[in-house]
Amino acid sequence: MQKSVYDKFIELFGAEGDIRTYFAPGRVNLIGEHTDYNGGHVFPCALTIGTYAAARKRDDRVIRFFSINQSLKGVYETSLDDLNPSEEAGWTNYPKGVVWAFIGRGLKIDTGFDMVITGDIPAGSGLSSSASLEVLTGFMLRDLFKLDEVTNVDLATIGQYSENNYNGMNCGIMDQFASAMGKKDNAIFLDCNTLNYDYAPIVLNGYKIVVTNSKVKHSLVDSAYNERRSSCEKALEELQTVTNITSLGDLSEEDFEKYRSAIKDPTRALRAHHAVYENQRTIKAVQALRDGDLDSFGKLMNASHVSLRDDYEVSCPEIDVLVDAAWSCDGVVGSRITGGGFGGCTVSIVKDDAVEAFKETLTKAYKEKYDLTPEFYVVSIGDGPTRFQ
Ligand code: GLA
């Protein structure tokens, strides 16, 4: 892919000068869903699929973008003096937002650039193609403009900031952090309140992590996401009238039950219940993995799905069919929806010799119920962003 992005760059923008190529990964979250913006823990890992770019600095203030995946849209041209988001800017609102956020932080971007991208994250799969594009853009800007003071954690927070404030999606820090801080064969145990993190080696002797793409993405995802987030914020305010906490992630299960009646609305109490219990499940799951207790890890994944389905209500019937089918298979340690929800992917831990039967069972169940064919990816955990040349 790095070659195709480079070749396309030369074809469109010429071969002269200092052309550089970059990559930033997508992510899959193993457990800890909708906990990041609630001050809880997450446990994602970077994938070996992601977004690639070829780029070169310019002498003027023009910026040109081209995406091989959306080639019909052609070259989109803008300038450093015209960085407002717009509908017609389409996907380029992501890199534009990152440029805007860099400048907003006082980082010196004093010329434009040309950038061609491509990627192998399936569209709408919930494997964070937008976060990988944001981190990729930040990584590229740091390199092109020699902004060495910017750390990889900054790349994550700048990416999130631009997504929240430029693209209007109130996401947490998980996706950008997983992309910017990925480490081969490790998942990242991140405390989203403090951004303290620890790598946990994923050594699954005899097991595979399998991502199943439902290939459905229900509309209104972003508005439902923002709604869940504000319900949790409101529940937190109510809880703060009876206990001294700064986020839902501060609460143990026992404390939540003690103070729960402060939350007036029953649906809101369910949302907060998920956030508190999911955070505790994540902490327990990482411990189980460290203890080599994969069975407990899998049970916590299953409980995560039930809570996302029933309390947080971010699953959907198509995903539930895939998860139910996974649970019915021999050799499946755990299976759950992953990512923001309302479609996208599930993540499952499956015994090596059961992977084929797992695929068959899910394909059959999904076909029967929805006449759709899922896609499967056996996950390899990769590193964070890189420059090739
Ligand atoms: C999306 C968001 C993340 C996180 C997940 C749910 O992927 O971008 O910040 O909230 O949903 O865990």
Side-chain angles (χ1 to χ4, degrees):
M1 288 224 136
Q2 143 209 9
K3 180 167 174 358
S4 64
V5 88
Y6 182 76
D7 290 348
K8 192 73 196 176
F9 187 99
I10 289 175
E11 181 192 321
L12 287 170
F13 300 138
E16 65 283 0
D18 184 7
I19 305 165
R20 301 178 183 183
T21 51
Y22 308 93
F23 167 79
R27 66 94 188 90
V28 65
N29 188 24
L30 300 179
I31 191 163
E33 216 67 80
H34 292 276
T35 45
D36 57 354
Y37 54 83
N38 284 309
H41 293 75
V42 292
F43 196 48
C45 45
L47 300 170
T48 48
I49 56 174
T51 314
Y52 294 76
R56 181 179 58 206
K57 255 174 98 167
R58 300 175 56 94
D59 299 327
D60 56 13
R61 294 176 68 77
V62 170
I63 305 176
R64 291 187 295 178
F65 294 111
F66 181 84
S67 164
I68 295 179
N69 300 79
Q70 298 196 34
S71 55
L72 291 179
K73 298 212 167 118
V75 173
Y76 178 81
E77 186 168 322
T78 183
S79 103
L80 282 177
D81 306 308
D82 180 20
L83 282 178
N84 291 325
S86 71
E87 206 161 305
E88 47 121 0
W91 69 269
T92 71
N93 281 316
Y94 291 103
K96 275 171 65 182
V98 175
V99 175
W100 168 85
F102 263 65
I103 295 172
R105 280 217 182 178
L107 295 161
K108 198 165 166 216
I109 311 277
D110 50 1
T111 68
F113 55 88
D114 294 326
M115 179 184 192
V116 173
I117 69 156
T118 190
D120 52 4
I121 302 176
S125 60
L127 300 176
S128 291
S129 55
S130 45
S132 84
L133 176 54
E134 288 155 3
V135 169
L136 177 76
T137 307
F139 186 81
M140 172 198 84
L141 293 174
R142 174 172 82 188
D143 184 59
L144 289 180
F145 294 91
K146 300 194 175 58
L147 300 166
D148 295 342
E149 68 271 37
V150 176
T151 65
N152 274 33
V153 172
D154 294 333
L155 296 180
T157 57
I158 292 173
Q160 183 203 12
Y161 182 86
S162 71
E163 180 136 359
N164 292 170
N165 297 292
Y166 193 92
N167 283 294
M169 162 68 175
N170 239 343
C171 65
I173 188 66
M174 171 170 74
D175 304 346
Q176 291 80 5
F177 200 96
S179 177
M181 299 296 292
K183 184 171 169 188
K184 189 174 171 10
D185 297 332
N186 282 261
I188 310 170
F189 182 42
L190 171 67
D191 177 343
C192 300
N193 216 5
T194 58
L195 295 193
N196 288 336
Y197 64 95
D198 232 344
Y199 290 108
I202 302 292
V203 198
L204 301 176
N205 288 327
Y207 292 84
K208 296 263 186 297
I209 299 172
V210 184
V211 168
T212 304
N213 187 354
S214 70
K215 299 203 279 196
V216 297
K217 185 178 189 230
H218 292 284
S219 55
L220 299 179
V221 176
D222 290 4
S223 60
Y225 183 95
N226 290 347
E227 211 175 272
R228 295 293 181 285
R229 185 166 179 160
S230 47
S231 288
C232 287
E233 282 161 5
K234 179 88 180 92
L236 173 64
E237 277 170 31
E238 292 172 303
L239 289 164
Q240 282 170 328
T241 63
V242 291
T243 178
N244 189 14
I245 52 170
T246 56
S247 72
L248 295 179
D250 288 342
L251 285 176
S252 64
E253 291 111 327
E254 295 73 31
D255 282 346
F256 177 73
E257 297 307 336
K258 197 154 108 201
Y259 300 122
R260 178 179 186 144
S261 59
I263 306 172
K264 301 280 173 305
D265 174 69
T267 305
R268 201 152 61 228
L270 282 180
R271 307 294 192 239
H273 179 271
H274 167 77
V276 170
Y277 279 67
E278 179 76 355
N279 179 41
Q280 297 300 327
R281 269 191 291 273
T282 307
I283 297 168
K284 288 177 197 158
V286 174
Q287 191 53 51
L289 197 70
R290 290 194 163 130
D291 295 342
D293 181 2
L294 200 57
D295 273 347
S296 297
F297 189 89
K299 290 204 176 84
L300 290 159
M301 288 175 77
N302 296 346
S304 165
H305 183 75
V306 171
S307 178
L308 288 158
R309 184 190 67 195
D310 299 345
D311 289 357
Y312 219 64
E313 294 183 277
V314 292
S315 188
C316 62
E318 294 88 344
I319 288 280
D320 290 341
V321 164
L322 293 172
V323 170
D324 285 339
W327 287 345
S328 77
C329 292
D330 285 337
V332 172
V333 173
S335 183
R336 57 181 286 275
I337 187 171
T338 183
F342 307 101
C345 291
T346 69
V347 59
S348 312
I349 299 186
V350 187
K351 221 171 175 180
D352 280 347
D353 59 14
V355 171
E356 281 317 306
F358 169 89
K359 289 183 184 170
E360 273 165 34
T361 306
L362 270 64
T363 304
K364 185 158 174 279
Y366 205 41
K367 184 104 196 131
E368 262 170 33
K369 190 81 202 216
Y370 290 108
D371 200 22
L372 288 169
T373 309
E375 257 165 35
F376 301 94
Y377 322 109
V378 174
V379 168
S380 312
I381 304 179
D383 281 320
T386 41
R387 176 179 154 188
F388 301 103
Q389 62 187 62

